[in-house]
Amino acid sequence: MPITHSRRPPGRRDTRRRPEGHATLAPSQKTGKRDVRAVAPTAQRAVAYLRDQGEADMANAVQTVLDYATAPTPAYGDSPISLYLDRAFRDHVKAQAKATGVDAATTVREGFEAFLAGAWDPPQPKRATHGATLDKVNFSVRVSAELIERVQERAAEYTREQGWPAARGYALNAMQVAAAYLAHVYPLPDQAPAEQ
């Protein structure tokens, strides 16, 4: 039995009705930030008109949208940085961050600043043993893109200064600095330095 597709015959319109209240916008009617910025002077006059008419709530609503759409976009915002961590360590970091009330992103930022200032030195990256099966997971934190870039540059310099191999997996990068600082701040109980 051949497979047939149910299609409308050519030349026949779709007679199904759209749900009540459904409107289709033409591409020229879509309103993104750029579109709102283009009509900002008119929208500002609309705000003044609404206030004159005693419609303060509506004027405030229009002003809020206008303020959002015309706010400057920073050159660098927070960017996600993905860390490839052992699952047990990731869970430990999350639990410790929750217990201390300091999120992991703040800790990573502190580590980046300490590394850039020379107040903390990360250990040499190590590759996993060949054939080792570790339960690795992705752990993402948001950090300033500009800060990530500075750490990435400094990590390359630091690798050369230390005489470490520059091969993939051995060279230091921003993700490894972040993971190493998290391990420094939140060591696993069996890896914590002995107190003297």
Side-chain angles (χ1 to χ4, degrees):
M1 176 175 204
I3 299 175
T4 59
H5 299 281
S6 59
R7 291 191 194 170
R8 285 189 312 273
R12 293 202 53 190
R13 289 183 358 175
D14 186 4
T15 56
R16 293 177 291 187
R17 295 182 59 189
R18 295 198 183 276
E20 193 68 34
H22 178 80
T24 303
L25 293 176
S28 62
Q29 294 175 307
K30 293 184 179 176
T31 53
K33 273 187 154 189
R34 185 176 295 156
D35 300 315
V36 175
R37 286 187 192 124
V39 297
T42 305
Q44 200 61 59
R45 286 196 310 271
V47 169
Y49 175 78
L50 288 168
R51 287 194 199 290
D52 290 344
Q53 296 298 313
E55 298 289 345
D57 289 343
M58 290 173 72
N60 290 340
V62 172
Q63 186 65 54
T64 300
V65 171
L66 189 59
D67 290 346
Y68 169 75
T70 58
T73 304
Y76 284 105
D78 281 352
S79 296
I81 183 169
S82 294
L83 310 177
Y84 195 52
L85 303 176
D86 180 55
R87 182 181 304 275
F89 179 61
R90 190 266 324 252
D91 294 343
H92 174 72
V93 168
K94 283 183 169 183
Q96 291 298 309
K98 187 174 182 179
T100 61
V102 179
D103 68 335
T106 301
T107 304
V108 169
R109 276 188 219 101
E110 290 170 0
F112 281 179
E113 294 294 344
F115 173 62
L116 292 171
W120 174 76
D121 294 326
Q124 182 176 2
K126 295 178 184 171
R127 279 190 161 174
T129 308
H130 183 70
T133 56
L134 298 174
D135 188 14
K136 296 281 190 173
V137 292
N138 187 25
F139 182 58
S140 185
V141 294
R142 296 191 74 80
V143 182
S144 160
E146 184 265 339
L147 186 56
I148 294 169
E149 189 177 309
R150 286 177 32 220
V151 169
Q152 196 71 15
E153 290 169 3
R154 177 66 187 122
E157 292 172 10
Y158 189 80
T159 297
R160 285 190 300 274
E161 290 168 6
Q162 298 298 316
W164 295 343
R168 183 174 176 218
Y170 292 103
L172 191 64
N173 61 36
M175 284 77 70
Q176 291 164 332
V177 170
Y181 195 75
L182 287 172
H184 172 72
V185 173
Y186 304 123
L188 284 168
D190 59 337
Q191 297 171 352
E195 294 185 23
Q196 298 177 8

